[in-house]
Short mmCIF file of all heavy atoms in Angstrom, two decimals:
data_model
loop_
_atom_site.label_atom_id
_atom_site.label_comp_id
_atom_site.label_asym_id
_atom_site.label_seq_id
_atom_site.Cartn_x
_atom_site.Cartn_y
_atom_site.Cartn_z
N MET A 1 34.72 91.30 -11.64
CA MET A 1 35.97 91.80 -12.17
C MET A 1 35.87 92.01 -13.68
O MET A 1 36.08 93.11 -14.15
CB MET A 1 37.11 90.85 -11.84
CG MET A 1 37.45 90.76 -10.36
SD MET A 1 38.69 89.54 -10.03
CE MET A 1 40.15 90.39 -10.52
N CYS A 2 35.60 90.98 -14.43
CA CYS A 2 35.50 91.09 -15.88
C CYS A 2 34.07 91.40 -16.26
O CYS A 2 33.13 90.81 -15.75
CB CYS A 2 35.92 89.78 -16.54
SG CYS A 2 37.66 89.42 -16.36
N SER A 3 33.91 92.32 -17.16
CA SER A 3 32.56 92.64 -17.63
C SER A 3 32.15 91.65 -18.70
O SER A 3 32.96 90.92 -19.27
CB SER A 3 32.54 94.07 -18.18
OG SER A 3 33.31 94.12 -19.36
N ASN A 4 30.86 91.61 -18.95
CA ASN A 4 30.34 90.70 -19.97
C ASN A 4 30.87 91.04 -21.35
O ASN A 4 31.07 90.17 -22.18
CB ASN A 4 28.81 90.75 -19.98
CG ASN A 4 28.22 90.05 -18.77
OD1 ASN A 4 28.87 89.19 -18.18
ND2 ASN A 4 27.00 90.42 -18.42
N ASN A 5 31.11 92.33 -21.57
CA ASN A 5 31.62 92.77 -22.87
C ASN A 5 33.02 92.21 -23.12
O ASN A 5 33.31 91.73 -24.22
CB ASN A 5 31.63 94.29 -22.94
CG ASN A 5 31.88 94.79 -24.35
OD1 ASN A 5 31.59 94.11 -25.31
ND2 ASN A 5 32.43 95.98 -24.46
N SER A 6 33.89 92.25 -22.13
CA SER A 6 35.25 91.73 -22.34
C SER A 6 35.25 90.21 -22.47
O SER A 6 36.06 89.66 -23.22
CB SER A 6 36.17 92.17 -21.20
OG SER A 6 35.74 91.62 -19.98
N ILE A 7 34.34 89.54 -21.79
CA ILE A 7 34.22 88.08 -21.94
C ILE A 7 33.74 87.75 -23.35
O ILE A 7 34.25 86.83 -24.00
CB ILE A 7 33.27 87.50 -20.88
CG1 ILE A 7 33.89 87.65 -19.49
CG2 ILE A 7 32.97 86.03 -21.17
CD1 ILE A 7 32.97 87.28 -18.36
N PHE A 8 32.77 88.53 -23.84
CA PHE A 8 32.25 88.32 -25.19
C PHE A 8 33.34 88.56 -26.23
O PHE A 8 33.49 87.78 -27.18
CB PHE A 8 31.06 89.26 -25.44
CG PHE A 8 30.48 89.15 -26.82
CD1 PHE A 8 29.76 88.03 -27.20
CD2 PHE A 8 30.67 90.16 -27.74
CE1 PHE A 8 29.24 87.92 -28.47
CE2 PHE A 8 30.16 90.07 -29.02
CZ PHE A 8 29.44 88.94 -29.38
N GLN A 9 34.14 89.61 -26.07
CA GLN A 9 35.22 89.90 -27.00
C GLN A 9 36.29 88.81 -26.96
O GLN A 9 36.82 88.41 -28.01
CB GLN A 9 35.85 91.26 -26.68
CG GLN A 9 34.98 92.43 -27.04
CD GLN A 9 35.60 93.75 -26.65
OE1 GLN A 9 36.54 93.80 -25.87
NE2 GLN A 9 35.07 94.84 -27.20
N ALA A 10 36.59 88.31 -25.78
CA ALA A 10 37.57 87.23 -25.66
C ALA A 10 37.06 85.97 -26.35
O ALA A 10 37.83 85.27 -27.02
CB ALA A 10 37.89 86.97 -24.20
N GLN A 11 35.78 85.67 -26.21
CA GLN A 11 35.20 84.49 -26.85
C GLN A 11 35.23 84.63 -28.38
O GLN A 11 35.53 83.67 -29.08
CB GLN A 11 33.76 84.26 -26.37
CG GLN A 11 33.13 83.00 -26.91
CD GLN A 11 33.88 81.74 -26.50
OE1 GLN A 11 34.31 81.61 -25.37
NE2 GLN A 11 34.03 80.82 -27.43
N LYS A 12 34.94 85.83 -28.88
CA LYS A 12 35.01 86.06 -30.31
C LYS A 12 36.43 85.88 -30.82
O LYS A 12 36.66 85.31 -31.89
CB LYS A 12 34.51 87.48 -30.65
CG LYS A 12 33.01 87.62 -30.64
CD LYS A 12 32.57 89.01 -31.01
CE LYS A 12 32.97 89.32 -32.42
NZ LYS A 12 32.45 90.62 -32.89
N LEU A 13 37.41 86.34 -30.04
CA LEU A 13 38.81 86.20 -30.43
C LEU A 13 39.22 84.72 -30.47
O LEU A 13 39.87 84.26 -31.41
CB LEU A 13 39.70 86.96 -29.46
CG LEU A 13 41.18 87.02 -29.79
CD1 LEU A 13 41.41 87.70 -31.14
CD2 LEU A 13 41.93 87.76 -28.70
N VAL A 14 38.78 83.96 -29.49
CA VAL A 14 39.08 82.52 -29.45
C VAL A 14 38.43 81.82 -30.64
O VAL A 14 39.04 80.97 -31.29
CB VAL A 14 38.61 81.90 -28.12
CG1 VAL A 14 38.66 80.38 -28.17
CG2 VAL A 14 39.46 82.42 -26.97
N ASP A 15 37.19 82.19 -30.95
CA ASP A 15 36.50 81.59 -32.10
C ASP A 15 37.24 81.92 -33.41
O ASP A 15 37.38 81.05 -34.28
CB ASP A 15 35.06 82.08 -32.18
CG ASP A 15 34.19 81.53 -31.06
OD1 ASP A 15 34.59 80.51 -30.43
OD2 ASP A 15 33.12 82.12 -30.81
N GLN A 16 37.72 83.16 -33.53
CA GLN A 16 38.46 83.55 -34.72
C GLN A 16 39.77 82.76 -34.84
O GLN A 16 40.14 82.30 -35.92
CB GLN A 16 38.76 85.06 -34.71
CG GLN A 16 39.54 85.55 -35.90
CD GLN A 16 38.79 85.38 -37.20
OE1 GLN A 16 37.56 85.45 -37.24
NE2 GLN A 16 39.52 85.14 -38.27
N TYR A 17 40.46 82.58 -33.73
CA TYR A 17 41.69 81.78 -33.74
C TYR A 17 41.41 80.34 -34.14
O TYR A 17 42.20 79.72 -34.85
CB TYR A 17 42.38 81.83 -32.38
CG TYR A 17 43.05 83.14 -32.07
CD1 TYR A 17 43.23 83.55 -30.75
CD2 TYR A 17 43.52 83.98 -33.07
CE1 TYR A 17 43.86 84.74 -30.46
CE2 TYR A 17 44.14 85.17 -32.78
CZ TYR A 17 44.31 85.56 -31.48
OH TYR A 17 44.93 86.75 -31.19
N ARG A 18 40.29 79.80 -33.70
CA ARG A 18 39.94 78.42 -34.09
C ARG A 18 39.69 78.32 -35.58
O ARG A 18 40.11 77.36 -36.23
CB ARG A 18 38.71 77.96 -33.31
CG ARG A 18 39.01 77.62 -31.88
CD ARG A 18 37.79 77.09 -31.16
NE ARG A 18 38.14 76.78 -29.78
CZ ARG A 18 37.31 76.88 -28.76
NH1 ARG A 18 36.07 77.28 -28.95
NH2 ARG A 18 37.72 76.59 -27.54
N VAL A 19 38.98 79.31 -36.12
CA VAL A 19 38.72 79.31 -37.56
C VAL A 19 40.04 79.39 -38.33
O VAL A 19 40.27 78.64 -39.29
CB VAL A 19 37.79 80.48 -37.94
CG1 VAL A 19 37.74 80.69 -39.45
CG2 VAL A 19 36.40 80.25 -37.38
N GLU A 20 40.93 80.28 -37.90
CA GLU A 20 42.22 80.43 -38.59
C GLU A 20 43.09 79.18 -38.44
O GLU A 20 43.82 78.83 -39.36
CB GLU A 20 42.94 81.65 -38.05
CG GLU A 20 42.28 82.96 -38.44
CD GLU A 20 42.96 84.17 -37.84
OE1 GLU A 20 44.08 84.02 -37.29
OE2 GLU A 20 42.38 85.26 -37.92
N ALA A 21 43.01 78.52 -37.30
CA ALA A 21 43.81 77.32 -37.09
C ALA A 21 43.34 76.17 -37.98
O ALA A 21 44.15 75.33 -38.38
CB ALA A 21 43.76 76.90 -35.62
N ASN A 22 42.06 76.16 -38.32
CA ASN A 22 41.52 75.08 -39.14
C ASN A 22 41.62 75.35 -40.63
O ASN A 22 41.27 74.48 -41.43
CB ASN A 22 40.06 74.82 -38.77
CG ASN A 22 39.94 74.19 -37.40
OD1 ASN A 22 40.82 73.47 -36.95
ND2 ASN A 22 38.85 74.49 -36.71
N MET A 23 42.11 76.52 -41.02
CA MET A 23 42.24 76.85 -42.43
C MET A 23 43.38 76.06 -43.05
O MET A 23 44.42 75.86 -42.43
CB MET A 23 42.50 78.34 -42.63
CG MET A 23 41.32 79.21 -42.31
SD MET A 23 41.70 80.96 -42.50
CE MET A 23 41.84 81.09 -44.25
N GLU A 24 43.16 75.63 -44.28
CA GLU A 24 44.22 74.91 -44.99
C GLU A 24 45.24 75.92 -45.50
O GLU A 24 44.90 76.90 -46.15
CB GLU A 24 43.63 74.14 -46.16
CG GLU A 24 44.64 73.33 -46.93
CD GLU A 24 44.01 72.56 -48.07
OE1 GLU A 24 42.80 72.32 -48.04
OE2 GLU A 24 44.76 72.21 -48.98
N ARG A 25 46.48 75.71 -45.21
CA ARG A 25 47.54 76.62 -45.62
C ARG A 25 48.16 76.13 -46.92
O ARG A 25 48.31 74.94 -47.15
CB ARG A 25 48.63 76.70 -44.55
CG ARG A 25 48.12 77.06 -43.19
CD ARG A 25 47.82 78.54 -43.11
NE ARG A 25 47.49 78.89 -41.74
CZ ARG A 25 46.58 79.77 -41.43
NH1 ARG A 25 45.92 80.38 -42.35
NH2 ARG A 25 46.32 80.06 -40.17
N VAL A 26 48.50 77.08 -47.76
CA VAL A 26 49.15 76.77 -49.03
C VAL A 26 50.59 77.24 -48.91
O VAL A 26 50.86 78.32 -48.41
CB VAL A 26 48.44 77.50 -50.19
CG1 VAL A 26 49.15 77.23 -51.50
CG2 VAL A 26 46.99 77.08 -50.27
N GLU A 27 51.49 76.44 -49.38
CA GLU A 27 52.89 76.82 -49.31
C GLU A 27 53.15 78.06 -50.16
O GLU A 27 52.60 78.21 -51.25
CB GLU A 27 53.78 75.68 -49.79
CG GLU A 27 53.81 74.50 -48.84
CD GLU A 27 54.81 73.46 -49.29
OE1 GLU A 27 55.87 73.83 -49.81
OE2 GLU A 27 54.49 72.29 -49.14
N ILE A 28 53.98 78.92 -49.67
CA ILE A 28 54.25 80.18 -50.36
C ILE A 28 54.90 79.93 -51.71
O ILE A 28 54.58 80.59 -52.69
CB ILE A 28 55.13 81.10 -49.49
CG1 ILE A 28 54.33 81.54 -48.27
CG2 ILE A 28 55.63 82.29 -50.27
CD1 ILE A 28 55.13 82.33 -47.27
N SER A 29 55.78 78.96 -51.78
CA SER A 29 56.46 78.71 -53.04
C SER A 29 55.48 78.26 -54.12
O SER A 29 55.61 78.63 -55.29
CB SER A 29 57.56 77.67 -52.86
OG SER A 29 57.00 76.45 -52.42
N LEU A 30 54.48 77.48 -53.75
CA LEU A 30 53.47 77.05 -54.72
C LEU A 30 52.63 78.23 -55.17
O LEU A 30 52.30 78.35 -56.35
CB LEU A 30 52.58 75.96 -54.11
CG LEU A 30 53.26 74.65 -53.75
CD1 LEU A 30 52.28 73.70 -53.09
CD2 LEU A 30 53.86 74.01 -54.99
N THR A 31 52.27 79.09 -54.24
CA THR A 31 51.48 80.26 -54.59
C THR A 31 52.26 81.20 -55.48
O THR A 31 51.73 81.74 -56.45
CB THR A 31 51.04 80.99 -53.31
OG1 THR A 31 50.36 80.06 -52.46
CG2 THR A 31 50.12 82.14 -53.62
N ALA A 32 53.52 81.41 -55.18
CA ALA A 32 54.36 82.28 -56.00
C ALA A 32 54.53 81.71 -57.40
O ALA A 32 54.47 82.46 -58.39
CB ALA A 32 55.72 82.48 -55.33
N ALA A 33 54.70 80.42 -57.50
CA ALA A 33 54.84 79.78 -58.81
C ALA A 33 53.54 79.93 -59.62
O ALA A 33 53.58 80.20 -60.82
CB ALA A 33 55.19 78.32 -58.65
N ALA A 34 52.42 79.79 -58.96
CA ALA A 34 51.13 79.95 -59.64
C ALA A 34 50.94 81.39 -60.09
O ALA A 34 50.42 81.65 -61.19
CB ALA A 34 49.99 79.53 -58.73
N LEU A 35 51.37 82.36 -59.29
CA LEU A 35 51.26 83.76 -59.65
C LEU A 35 52.15 84.09 -60.84
O LEU A 35 51.73 84.79 -61.78
CB LEU A 35 51.63 84.64 -58.46
CG LEU A 35 51.55 86.14 -58.67
CD1 LEU A 35 50.14 86.57 -59.04
CD2 LEU A 35 52.01 86.86 -57.42
N VAL A 36 53.35 83.58 -60.85
CA VAL A 36 54.26 83.80 -61.98
C VAL A 36 53.68 83.19 -63.24
O VAL A 36 53.69 83.82 -64.32
CB VAL A 36 55.66 83.22 -61.67
CG1 VAL A 36 56.52 83.16 -62.92
CG2 VAL A 36 56.33 84.02 -60.58
N GLN A 37 53.13 82.00 -63.15
CA GLN A 37 52.54 81.35 -64.32
C GLN A 37 51.35 82.14 -64.84
O GLN A 37 51.20 82.32 -66.05
CB GLN A 37 52.12 79.91 -63.97
CG GLN A 37 51.61 79.14 -65.16
CD GLN A 37 52.68 78.97 -66.23
OE1 GLN A 37 53.83 78.70 -65.94
NE2 GLN A 37 52.29 79.14 -67.48
N TYR A 38 50.52 82.65 -63.95
CA TYR A 38 49.37 83.46 -64.34
C TYR A 38 49.83 84.73 -65.07
O TYR A 38 49.26 85.09 -66.10
CB TYR A 38 48.52 83.83 -63.12
CG TYR A 38 47.36 84.73 -63.45
CD1 TYR A 38 46.16 84.19 -63.89
CD2 TYR A 38 47.46 86.11 -63.34
CE1 TYR A 38 45.09 85.00 -64.21
CE2 TYR A 38 46.40 86.93 -63.66
CZ TYR A 38 45.21 86.37 -64.10
OH TYR A 38 44.15 87.18 -64.43
N CYS A 39 50.85 85.38 -64.54
CA CYS A 39 51.37 86.60 -65.16
C CYS A 39 51.93 86.31 -66.55
O CYS A 39 51.71 87.09 -67.50
CB CYS A 39 52.42 87.24 -64.28
SG CYS A 39 51.77 87.94 -62.76
N GLU A 40 52.63 85.22 -66.69
CA GLU A 40 53.18 84.86 -68.00
C GLU A 40 52.08 84.50 -68.98
O GLU A 40 52.18 84.84 -70.17
CB GLU A 40 54.16 83.70 -67.86
CG GLU A 40 55.46 84.09 -67.19
CD GLU A 40 56.41 82.93 -66.97
OE1 GLU A 40 56.03 81.78 -67.27
OE2 GLU A 40 57.53 83.18 -66.50
N ASP A 41 51.04 83.84 -68.53
CA ASP A 41 49.94 83.46 -69.41
C ASP A 41 49.12 84.67 -69.87
O ASP A 41 48.53 84.64 -70.96
CB ASP A 41 49.01 82.46 -68.72
CG ASP A 41 49.67 81.11 -68.50
OD1 ASP A 41 50.71 80.83 -69.15
OD2 ASP A 41 49.15 80.33 -67.68
N HIS A 42 49.06 85.71 -69.08
CA HIS A 42 48.21 86.86 -69.39
C HIS A 42 49.00 88.12 -69.75
O HIS A 42 48.44 89.21 -69.79
CB HIS A 42 47.28 87.15 -68.21
CG HIS A 42 46.28 86.07 -67.98
ND1 HIS A 42 46.55 84.98 -67.18
CD2 HIS A 42 45.03 85.89 -68.46
CE1 HIS A 42 45.50 84.19 -67.17
NE2 HIS A 42 44.57 84.71 -67.94
N ARG A 43 50.28 87.98 -70.04
CA ARG A 43 51.09 89.16 -70.31
C ARG A 43 50.69 89.86 -71.61
O ARG A 43 50.88 91.05 -71.75
CB ARG A 43 52.56 88.81 -70.31
CG ARG A 43 53.00 87.95 -71.46
CD ARG A 43 54.51 87.74 -71.45
NE ARG A 43 54.85 86.76 -72.45
CZ ARG A 43 55.37 85.59 -72.19
NH1 ARG A 43 55.64 85.25 -70.96
NH2 ARG A 43 55.63 84.74 -73.16
N HIS A 44 50.14 89.13 -72.57
CA HIS A 44 49.75 89.75 -73.84
C HIS A 44 48.56 90.70 -73.68
O HIS A 44 48.40 91.62 -74.46
CB HIS A 44 49.42 88.67 -74.88
CG HIS A 44 48.27 87.81 -74.49
ND1 HIS A 44 48.42 86.75 -73.61
CD2 HIS A 44 46.96 87.86 -74.81
CE1 HIS A 44 47.24 86.18 -73.43
NE2 HIS A 44 46.34 86.83 -74.13
N SER A 45 47.74 90.50 -72.67
CA SER A 45 46.58 91.38 -72.46
C SER A 45 46.81 92.40 -71.34
O SER A 45 45.89 93.14 -71.00
CB SER A 45 45.35 90.53 -72.14
OG SER A 45 45.55 89.81 -70.93
N ASP A 46 48.02 92.46 -70.81
CA ASP A 46 48.33 93.41 -69.74
C ASP A 46 48.68 94.75 -70.35
O ASP A 46 49.67 94.87 -71.07
CB ASP A 46 49.50 92.88 -68.90
CG ASP A 46 49.76 93.71 -67.66
OD1 ASP A 46 49.29 94.87 -67.61
OD2 ASP A 46 50.42 93.21 -66.74
N PRO A 47 47.90 95.80 -70.08
CA PRO A 47 48.18 97.10 -70.70
C PRO A 47 49.50 97.72 -70.22
O PRO A 47 50.08 98.54 -70.93
CB PRO A 47 47.00 97.97 -70.31
CG PRO A 47 46.36 97.29 -69.15
CD PRO A 47 46.70 95.84 -69.27
N LEU A 48 49.99 97.34 -69.06
CA LEU A 48 51.27 97.88 -68.61
C LEU A 48 52.44 97.29 -69.38
O LEU A 48 53.47 97.93 -69.56
CB LEU A 48 51.46 97.62 -67.11
CG LEU A 48 50.46 98.32 -66.20
CD1 LEU A 48 50.67 97.88 -64.76
CD2 LEU A 48 50.57 99.82 -66.33
N LEU A 49 52.28 96.06 -69.86
CA LEU A 49 53.36 95.42 -70.63
C LEU A 49 53.18 95.60 -72.13
O LEU A 49 54.15 95.87 -72.84
CB LEU A 49 53.40 93.93 -70.30
CG LEU A 49 53.74 93.56 -68.86
CD1 LEU A 49 53.64 92.06 -68.66
CD2 LEU A 49 55.13 94.05 -68.49
N ALA A 50 51.96 95.46 -72.62
CA ALA A 50 51.71 95.50 -74.05
C ALA A 50 51.42 96.91 -74.55
O ALA A 50 51.51 97.17 -75.74
CB ALA A 50 50.55 94.57 -74.40
N GLY A 51 51.04 97.81 -73.66
CA GLY A 51 50.68 99.16 -74.08
C GLY A 51 49.22 99.24 -74.50
O GLY A 51 48.54 98.23 -74.66
N ILE A 52 48.76 100.45 -74.68
CA ILE A 52 47.38 100.68 -75.07
C ILE A 52 47.39 101.37 -76.42
O ILE A 52 48.13 102.34 -76.63
CB ILE A 52 46.65 101.57 -74.04
CG1 ILE A 52 46.65 100.90 -72.68
CG2 ILE A 52 45.24 101.87 -74.48
CD1 ILE A 52 46.10 101.78 -71.57
N ALA A 53 46.56 100.90 -77.34
CA ALA A 53 46.47 101.52 -78.65
C ALA A 53 45.91 102.93 -78.48
O ALA A 53 45.02 103.18 -77.67
CB ALA A 53 45.56 100.71 -79.56
N ALA A 54 46.44 103.87 -79.22
CA ALA A 54 46.01 105.27 -79.10
C ALA A 54 44.53 105.42 -79.41
O ALA A 54 43.84 106.27 -78.84
CB ALA A 54 46.84 106.15 -80.02
N SER A 55 44.01 104.60 -80.29
CA SER A 55 42.59 104.71 -80.67
C SER A 55 41.65 104.23 -79.57
O SER A 55 40.51 104.66 -79.51
CB SER A 55 42.33 103.93 -81.95
OG SER A 55 42.63 102.56 -81.73
N SER A 56 42.13 103.35 -78.69
CA SER A 56 41.26 102.82 -77.65
C SER A 56 41.59 103.35 -76.26
O SER A 56 40.99 102.91 -75.28
CB SER A 56 41.32 101.30 -77.64
OG SER A 56 42.63 100.89 -77.26
N ASN A 57 42.51 104.31 -76.18
CA ASN A 57 42.89 104.87 -74.89
C ASN A 57 41.85 105.90 -74.44
O ASN A 57 41.72 106.96 -75.05
CB ASN A 57 44.27 105.52 -74.98
CG ASN A 57 44.79 105.97 -73.63
OD1 ASN A 57 44.07 105.97 -72.65
ND2 ASN A 57 46.06 106.36 -73.61
N PRO A 58 41.10 105.62 -73.36
CA PRO A 58 40.05 106.56 -72.94
C PRO A 58 40.61 107.82 -72.28
O PRO A 58 39.88 108.78 -72.10
CB PRO A 58 39.23 105.73 -71.94
CG PRO A 58 40.19 104.74 -71.41
CD PRO A 58 41.13 104.43 -72.54
N PHE A 59 41.87 107.84 -71.91
CA PHE A 59 42.45 108.98 -71.22
C PHE A 59 43.20 109.94 -72.16
O PHE A 59 43.62 111.00 -71.73
CB PHE A 59 43.40 108.49 -70.13
CG PHE A 59 42.70 107.65 -69.12
CD1 PHE A 59 42.88 106.28 -69.10
CD2 PHE A 59 41.84 108.21 -68.20
CE1 PHE A 59 42.23 105.49 -68.16
CE2 PHE A 59 41.17 107.43 -67.26
CZ PHE A 59 41.37 106.07 -67.25
N LYS A 60 43.35 109.56 -73.39
CA LYS A 60 44.05 110.42 -74.34
C LYS A 60 43.09 111.49 -74.84
O LYS A 60 41.95 111.22 -75.16
CB LYS A 60 44.58 109.60 -75.51
CG LYS A 60 45.37 110.42 -76.48
CD LYS A 60 45.97 109.57 -77.57
CE LYS A 60 46.55 110.52 -78.59
NZ LYS A 60 47.79 110.19 -79.10
N ASP A 61 43.59 112.73 -74.92
CA ASP A 61 42.77 113.82 -75.43
C ASP A 61 42.44 113.57 -76.90
O ASP A 61 43.32 113.27 -77.70
CB ASP A 61 43.49 115.16 -75.29
CG ASP A 61 43.63 115.58 -73.84
OD1 ASP A 61 42.79 115.15 -73.02
OD2 ASP A 61 44.56 116.35 -73.53
N ARG A 62 41.18 113.75 -77.24
CA ARG A 62 40.76 113.54 -78.62
C ARG A 62 41.03 114.79 -79.47
O ARG A 62 41.28 114.72 -80.64
CB ARG A 62 39.27 113.19 -78.68
CG ARG A 62 38.91 111.93 -77.92
CD ARG A 62 39.47 110.72 -78.59
NE ARG A 62 39.09 109.53 -77.83
CZ ARG A 62 39.79 108.45 -77.76
NH1 ARG A 62 40.92 108.36 -78.40
NH2 ARG A 62 39.41 107.43 -77.04
N LYS A 63 40.94 115.94 -78.84
CA LYS A 63 41.14 117.18 -79.56
C LYS A 63 42.34 117.90 -78.97
O LYS A 63 42.64 117.77 -77.79
CB LYS A 63 39.92 118.08 -79.43
CG LYS A 63 38.65 117.47 -79.98
CD LYS A 63 37.48 118.40 -79.73
CE LYS A 63 36.19 117.75 -80.16
NZ LYS A 63 35.04 118.56 -79.83
N THR A 64 42.99 118.68 -79.79
CA THR A 64 44.08 119.48 -79.27
C THR A 64 43.54 120.80 -78.77
O THR A 64 42.52 121.30 -79.26
CB THR A 64 45.14 119.73 -80.36
OG1 THR A 64 44.52 120.39 -81.46
CG2 THR A 64 45.77 118.42 -80.81
N CYS A 65 44.19 121.38 -77.83
CA CYS A 65 43.78 122.65 -77.25
C CYS A 65 44.41 123.77 -78.07
O CYS A 65 45.62 123.80 -78.28
CB CYS A 65 44.22 122.73 -75.80
SG CYS A 65 43.74 124.26 -75.00
N VAL A 66 43.59 124.69 -78.51
CA VAL A 66 44.08 125.80 -79.31
C VAL A 66 43.79 127.09 -78.53
O VAL A 66 42.66 127.36 -78.15
CB VAL A 66 43.40 125.85 -80.68
CG1 VAL A 66 43.88 127.05 -81.48
CG2 VAL A 66 43.63 124.56 -81.42
N LEU A 67 44.84 127.85 -78.28
CA LEU A 67 44.69 129.14 -77.62
C LEU A 67 44.66 130.23 -78.66
O LEU A 67 45.47 130.25 -79.59
CB LEU A 67 45.84 129.38 -76.65
CG LEU A 67 45.94 128.40 -75.48
CD1 LEU A 67 47.19 128.70 -74.67
CD2 LEU A 67 44.71 128.49 -74.60
N LEU A 68 43.72 131.14 -78.51
CA LEU A 68 43.64 132.25 -79.48
C LEU A 68 44.34 133.45 -78.95
O LEU A 68 44.36 133.84 -77.89
CB LEU A 68 42.16 132.57 -79.78
CG LEU A 68 41.39 131.41 -80.39
CD1 LEU A 68 39.94 131.81 -80.53
CD2 LEU A 68 41.97 131.05 -81.75
#
């Protein structure tokens, strides 16, 4: 009835569930608090918050385009 392939896939699934069941879980509130603390500690170097200096911006055009 069952092929060897489906038995093998079922065994892999059971093994994966065992691995996941044995993983240590971290509470979401602790993880969120750690993420907020990390963001606050590194906000001075975040280019989205602090901005990028025009002299060091690699995407800013160095020359202006002149049409003749």
Side-chain angles (χ1 to χ4, degrees):
M1 293 175 78
C2 292
S3 67
N4 287 336
N5 192 26
S6 63
I7 293 173
F8 178 71
Q9 288 178 344
Q11 184 61 42
K12 282 181 64 174
L13 186 60
V14 169
D15 290 342
Q16 179 64 32
Y17 287 153
R18 284 183 180 149
V19 168
E20 291 177 11
N22 290 330
M23 290 178 70
E24 182 179 339
R25 306 283 187 217
V26 178
E27 289 186 37
I28 292 174
S29 61
L30 296 177
T31 305
L35 181 61
V36 167
Q37 185 62 42
Y38 177 85
C39 291
E40 288 177 356
D41 291 343
H42 293 88
R43 69 176 172 245
H44 62 279
S45 62
D46 188 341
L48 296 175
L49 296 175
I52 300 173
S55 61
S56 65
N57 187 350
F59 300 105
K60 183 175 171 138
D61 291 334
R62 300 291 180 210
K63 300 177 185 175
T64 58
C65 181
V66 178
L67 297 176
L68 299 175

